Amino acid sequence: MKINFEGKTVLVTGATRGIGRQIADDFSALGARLILTGTDPKEIKRLNRRSSSVKMKYYCVDFTKPESTELFLKELRKINKIDVCINNAGINRVDYIDEVKTEDWDDILSVNLKAPFLVMREVARLMKKNHYGRIVNIASIFGVIGKEKRSVYSASKFGLRGLTVSSSNELARFNILVNAVSPGFVLTDLTRRILSSSQIRALASQVPMKRFACAKDISNVVIFLASDSNTYINGQNIVVDGGYVNA
């Protein structure tokens, strides 16, 4: 099975680090033209300077800010074709339900649920015109199971799964397939910063495979779902967690 994205335009949000960066790198290696987002203005400038290719452009977008989001949506409206959309941008802030700040609720829902909706609304219009599209929303195991201090995050990811299922029913007749991928524990730079080595080992021991995922484990599934090799998987949530939710 040979997968390539030559001639395809791929949008990946949250593409400057972690899972999103791996997904972007893999699409690039497979020949895609890329539209990428991140939140750090200095990093976006650096990445655009580094990339001399006309096949890759980064946009600075803060999905917690309506004006930043709208500017990006206006840019999307200038594009004639988007073949693949990966909604990967996400944030998490943990707290007990009775201590959650309203601001945190608003920000998490804005990035994790409202932004995918707004982006999907734009790209679906293009995809319907072109009678082709693949959309993959990056959800989470905490959109499948619950954990203390994750009530707001889980609400956003359960919601993203609902958005995935309902939109998949609407768009399938236009040859647009919509799916979600729900990663488990993934070993990224951010994970290493927020968890100690002993905490990582303790969590890994609860996973049947006895390790965290690497970003490539997640990207491999995303790439397949977004490719022409996927012709009939639609409205599904693929859990990539080493068996954690079933343990």
Side-chain angles (χ1 to χ4, degrees):
M1 180 174 63
K2 185 176 180 180
I3 293 176
N4 76 77
F5 290 89
E6 293 288 345
K8 298 284 178 66
T9 299
V10 177
L11 164 62
V12 184
T13 67
T16 58
R17 64 182 183 179
I19 294 170
R21 183 172 62 189
Q22 182 68 60
I23 292 170
D25 287 347
D26 289 347
F27 274 119
S28 180
L30 292 167
R33 176 179 179 270
L34 291 168
I35 302 164
L36 308 170
T37 80
T39 57
D40 185 335
K42 291 182 180 178
E43 177 72 356
I44 296 299
K45 286 182 181 178
R46 185 188 70 80
L47 289 168
N48 278 327
R49 282 197 303 268
R50 187 192 70 178
S51 174
S52 58
S53 170
V54 296
K55 295 180 69 175
M56 183 182 298
K57 184 171 182 181
Y58 288 86
Y59 292 85
C60 187
V61 188
D62 183 346
F63 289 116
T64 67
K65 294 181 169 56
E67 61 276 14
S68 179
T69 303
E70 183 54 34
L71 283 173
F72 178 62
L73 296 176
K74 285 181 179 178
E75 290 298 316
L76 291 184
R77 292 174 197 135
K78 299 175 184 177
I79 299 169
N80 294 322
K81 183 170 77 84
I82 294 177
D83 302 286
V84 176
C85 173
I86 313 298
N87 284 303
N88 170 74
I91 61 172
N92 186 19
R93 297 168 191 164
V94 296
D95 218 334
Y96 292 109
I97 186 62
D98 56 325
E99 297 177 3
V100 171
K101 299 178 179 67
T102 303
E103 177 187 356
D104 289 341
W105 168 271
D106 290 340
D107 286 350
I108 291 170
L109 269 291
S110 290
V111 177
N112 296 3
L113 186 55
K114 187 176 181 179
F117 156 68
L118 292 172
V119 170
M120 286 174 67
R121 187 171 66 182
E122 294 300 327
V123 301
R125 292 165 179 164
L126 281 177
M127 290 176 175
K128 285 170 75 172
K129 286 181 183 178
N130 295 314
H131 205 75
Y132 179 89
R134 299 288 185 269
I135 298 172
V136 182
N137 295 320
I138 307 302
S140 168
I141 55 169
F142 296 118
V144 178
I145 60 173
K147 187 178 177 67
E148 68 176 19
K149 295 187 176 182
R150 301 297 195 285
S151 56
V152 181
Y153 184 73
S154 282
S156 71
K157 295 300 185 177
F158 270 92
L160 187 57
R161 286 180 55 208
L163 180 64
T164 299
V165 171
S166 293
S167 60
S168 73
N169 291 333
E170 298 173 14
L171 297 173
R173 74 196 73 165
F174 300 101
N175 192 30
I176 303 167
L177 304 181
V178 187
N179 292 286
V181 170
S182 288
F185 302 115
V186 184
L187 196 58
T188 63
D189 291 340
L190 179 62
T191 304
R192 292 186 180 94
R193 283 202 301 272
I194 64 177
L195 295 178
S196 66
S197 296
S198 61
Q199 288 173 315
I200 290 173
R201 286 195 298 271
L203 279 173
S205 71
Q206 299 174 42
V207 178
M209 291 190 69
K210 304 304 178 187
R211 69 172 178 88
F212 275 35
C214 64
K216 186 75 172 175
D217 292 321
I218 312 305
S219 182
N220 286 341
V221 180
V222 172
I223 293 291
F224 171 77
L225 290 173
S227 75
D228 288 335
S229 294
N230 174 26
T231 58
Y232 209 61
I233 300 173
N234 189 43
Q236 301 304 306
N237 179 48
I238 311 300
V239 178
V240 188
D241 70 341
Y244 177 82
V245 301
N246 294 322

